[in-house]
Structures are given as C-alpha cells and as structure tokens.
Amino acid sequence: MSLLETLQVQTLPEKYKSLTQDEMEKRIWEIKKELGAKLFIPCHHYQREEVYQFADAAGDSLQLAQISAKNRDAKYIVFCGVHFMAETADILTSDEQTVILPDMRAGCSMADMADIHQTERAWDMLQQLFGDTILPLTYVNSTAAIKAFVGRNGGATVTSSNAKKMVEWAFTQKERIFFLPDQHLGRNTAYDLGVDLKDMAVWDPIRNELIYECALENIKVILWKGHCSVHEHFTVKNIEFVRKKFPDMQIIVHPECSREVVAHSDLNGSTKYIIETIEKAPAGSEWAIGTEMNLVQRLFKNHPDKKIISLNPVMCPCLTMNRIDLPHLLWSLENIMEGKETNVIKVDEVTASDAVLALERMLQR
Ligand code: 13P
Ligand code: SF4
C-alpha cells in the first residue's frame, strides 16, 4: 500500500489524464457558472497560468488570509495554493464552509521543516535558558499545529508583507523573539529593524541546539533553521552575473532569499511588493527578479514594455504549488457537483481555536 493510500488521500482518477486542455477548461467554466456564489476559488500568485485564470481572487499569503476571513458566502472554497494556506482558510472560515485542496500533495517544504514536537522541545530548552522573555512568531508558511503553539504562547503569525510591523509589535511584548520556520525572513526583517546580526541565534531542530556568537543574554532573535527550497536557489553569483551582463538592470528579490542575496540586491519585499514595484516601474526599465518562476513569467507576459528576467536563469517553479493543475482542479469541482467532497482540509477544533489567536493578532494589525 502506498503512503497516500495509507493516509486515505484520494489521487486523481485516470480519466482526467486523457482530457484535452480545452475540454477541461470548458467544463471548469461551466461548473463555475452553475455553482455561482456557492463556489470560491482563491489563488496564490505562484499558481500555474492554467489554474490562475479561474481565480475569483488572487493574492499573496496575507491577502489570501484576509480574503478567507471575510468570505462567508461560499459553501465551497477550492484553494489553489499549498496545504498551509488551505489550513489557514479553514481556520478563518465558518463551520458551514468546506475548504478543498485539489491535490493533497501540494505541501510546502519550508512548513515541513518545523514539526510541533521539535518546536515544543525547542521551547522547553529556550524557556530554561531565557525564562519568560520570548515571544514566538511564525511565518504563515507553517502547519496549523505550529500556529496553535504560537497562539497559545501569546504570539502571532506574520507574512512577508507585514513581517516588519509584526516583529516591531513582538518587541513591545517581550525582550526576545523566536521566529519560525524561515530563518531568512526572520533575519532579513530583524536586520532591517536594526538588530545586529551577531545578536541573532539559530535554533537547529535536528541537532537540538542553539547556535550563537554573542553572549547568551544579548540574544534578541532566535531563528528556526528552516528555509524555502525555491528562494534558496538565488545566489550572490547570480547577482554578480546580472550586474556584469546588464549594468542597467535593477535586482528585486523576495525576503525568503538569504541575507547575502538580499544585501546585494537593489530592492526586496513580499510578493505583493514585487508585483506593485514592477507595475509602477517606467516603460523601458530593466528587472532581474528573484522569486518563484510562475510569478516571474506572469510579470514578463503582463509587462511587455519592460525587460524582465529571472535572477536565476535555470530556475523552476515551486514544485508543490505546481501540483495544482487543470486535471486536479476539474476533478475537485466535478466531485462537488456529484456531492462527493474530496481532499477536504479540516483543522481539528482544539488546534484551530489556538491557531486563530495567532492569526487574529496578525489580522488586527
Ligand atoms: P508571500 O505570499 O507572503 O509573499 O509568500 C511567498 C511564499 O513563498 C508563499 O509560499
Ligand atoms: Fe513553500 Fe517556498 Fe513553495 Fe512558498 S515557494 S510554497 S515557501 S517551498
């Protein structure tokens, strides 16, 4: 028995593999029309174009969380994004609404880098070292269990577009922050707020140890040793190459890139910030973009008056975001039409009630 069968995850029936793109698109438009306001399709900016065209709302992680919190009309939310985003949508919507992820394999390698047992273990050790001086913050790119841990301990979620505001708030609550699971977003944000790099420690969840250079009492930020397996592929070498080959080109990257890459770039910011910067840029301007490839390709297509390249020429899209494709989207929708709900994302009540505290502390700011 395969792992997916053991977990009772349903996989795409064979019949969807032989349909043409036109057939699938036509059927999806028909179902959207039939279901009307009962169906809502939120879509992250990193989704494939073939799926993105069906979005009722598109956004970055923060916008999608805000949209989910507001939407009370749709009975079915077919989430085109990754697992943690669908969990967030389930936590923020009512019990009468059903959140569906078209392919259960659409996870996030960064979110998988912090499990709740590792986190509880780390927290116990950090409490022994620092007492009650730490506030946990988690990037929304984390499991519902981690969000619940953060909520229980007075902390909040953050996204790349509000990380500065949330870290500033966290320092009004406690002396130190524990930032999960993306060390790069945590480091880049704290650095921008004036925290010295040497006052930032790293928690290694595999070796169960705190890595630091300064005196223990000077540590201000504890970064979980996690990263995004897409954004880690942008390097300082890529930047040096672009600077040499295209001297007029500006380099803009997502803060999930390493500190070195962000420091060598011209601009950095969330998905929303990158999109808005390119939209506002004058015709003829030149951009090397360090973020997910589906988004870079969309920006390239939507702005023919600007020269746009990927900062890394051999970059591929986020593999898990890419798992949501036309066959899976159609399959989810046809199941709804037949009264069968497949791949439903349901966070248990106890976890959801703690996780919502962390999400609401973010959404209120
Ligand atoms: P944002 O949508 O917050 O920019 O995050 C990017 C990302 O990696 C989503 O998985
Ligand atoms: Fe996760 Fe990175 Fe993919 Fe976003 S781009 S879903 S953080 S692996």
Side-chain angles (χ1 to χ4, degrees), residues 46 82 84 107-110 141 228-231 256 318 320-321:
Y46 293 176
V82 289
F84 72 80
C108 163
S109 54
M110 178 201 285
N141 301 28
C228 165
S229 36
V230 172
H231 290 90
E256 286 174 18
C318 171
T320 48
M321 283 275 181

Side-chain angles (χ1 to χ4, degrees), residues 103-150:
D103 186 343
M104 283 301 211
R105 297 169 306 169
C108 163
S109 54
M110 178 201 285
D112 292 342
M113 286 176 199
D115 84 24
I116 187 60
H117 305 294
Q118 294 170 322
T119 305
E120 300 275 13
R121 214 163 41 224
W123 188 243
D124 284 349
M125 289 176 70
L126 294 173
Q127 295 293 293
Q128 281 170 35
L129 287 174
F130 300 105
D132 183 22
T133 63
I134 318 169
L135 194 84
L137 289 179
T138 186
Y139 195 15
V140 285
N141 301 28
S142 53
T143 62
I146 301 287
K147 292 184 179 81
F149 158 83
V150 168

Side-chain angles (χ1 to χ4, degrees), residues 50-117:
E50 65 186 42
V51 165
Y52 198 83
Q53 62 176 320
F54 296 106
D56 291 310
D60 67 0
S61 308
L62 178 62
Q63 292 168 309
L64 293 177
Q66 289 164 334
I67 290 164
S68 304
K70 276 199 201 123
N71 185 304
R72 286 287 175 268
D73 303 330
K75 163 86 184 91
Y76 300 105
I77 296 166
V78 177
F79 206 103
C80 295
V82 289
H83 194 272
F84 72 80
M85 296 177 182
E87 279 189 332
T88 299
D90 178 54
I91 294 166
L92 294 172
T93 49
S94 72
D95 288 347
E96 289 68 47
Q97 295 175 289
T98 304
V99 177
I100 290 167
L101 184 65
D103 186 343
M104 283 301 211
R105 297 169 306 169
C108 163
S109 54
M110 178 201 285
D112 292 342
M113 286 176 199
D115 84 24
I116 187 60
H117 305 294

Side-chain angles (χ1 to χ4, degrees), residues 55-290:
D56 291 310
D60 67 0
S61 308
L62 178 62
Q63 292 168 309
L64 293 177
Q66 289 164 334
I67 290 164
S68 304
K70 276 199 201 123
N71 185 304
R72 286 287 175 268
D73 303 330
K75 163 86 184 91
Y76 300 105
I77 296 166
V78 177
F79 206 103
C80 295
V82 289
H83 194 272
F84 72 80
M85 296 177 182
E87 279 189 332
T88 299
D90 178 54
I91 294 166
L92 294 172
T93 49
S94 72
D95 288 347
E96 289 68 47
Q97 295 175 289
T98 304
V99 177
I100 290 167
L101 184 65
D103 186 343
M104 283 301 211
R105 297 169 306 169
C108 163
S109 54
M110 178 201 285
D112 292 342
M113 286 176 199
D115 84 24
I116 187 60
H117 305 294
Q118 294 170 322
T119 305
E120 300 275 13
R121 214 163 41 224
W123 188 243
D124 284 349
M125 289 176 70
L126 294 173
Q127 295 293 293
Q128 281 170 35
L129 287 174
F130 300 105
D132 183 22
T133 63
I134 318 169
L135 194 84
L137 289 179
T138 186
Y139 195 15
V140 285
N141 301 28
S142 53
T143 62
I146 301 287
K147 292 184 179 81
F149 158 83
V150 168
R152 272 196 302 282
N153 288 288
T157 55
V158 314
T159 77
S160 52
S161 52
N162 62 17
K164 269 189 209 149
K165 191 165 48 167
M166 294 310 297
V167 170
E168 271 177 329
W169 166 78
F171 279 124
T172 66
Q173 306 295 303
K174 292 277 166 75
E175 260 172 71
R176 302 184 166 80
I177 61 165
F178 179 32
F179 193 97
L180 298 110
D182 183 14
Q183 59 171 311
H184 301 305
L185 179 64
R187 187 176 291 112
N188 287 321
T189 307
Y191 181 85
D192 281 350
L193 290 170
V195 180
D196 209 309
L197 286 174
K198 69 175 178 358
D199 295 338
M200 300 187 207
V202 173
W203 176 265
D204 183 335
I206 307 294
R207 299 171 65 163
N208 248 328
E209 70 175 355
L210 188 67
I211 303 155
Y212 57 100
E213 287 172 16
C214 61
L216 196 65
E217 63 273 19
N218 289 347
I219 294 174
K220 292 266 173 306
V221 175
I222 299 150
L223 303 163
W224 188 270
K225 196 176 176 192
H227 63 267
C228 165
S229 36
V230 172
H231 290 90
E232 73 163 353
H233 289 298
F234 296 105
T235 62
V236 173
K237 272 211 165 74
N238 294 147
I239 296 181
E240 286 166 356
F241 177 81
V242 167
R243 297 264 188 240
K244 212 162 151 197
K245 188 139 192 244
F246 308 105
D248 294 331
M249 198 164 258
Q250 295 195 70
I251 297 174
I252 183 166
V253 300
H254 194 282
E256 286 174 18
C257 294
S258 71
R259 177 72 222 133
E260 295 70 33
V261 166
V262 168
H264 283 81
S265 301
D266 299 305
L267 298 167
N268 78 90
S270 67
T271 301
K272 180 167 176 263
Y273 172 82
I274 293 175
I275 295 171
E276 287 175 356
T277 304
I278 302 298
E279 274 168 4
K280 283 188 219 139
S285 57
E286 299 182 15
W287 296 91
I289 306 180

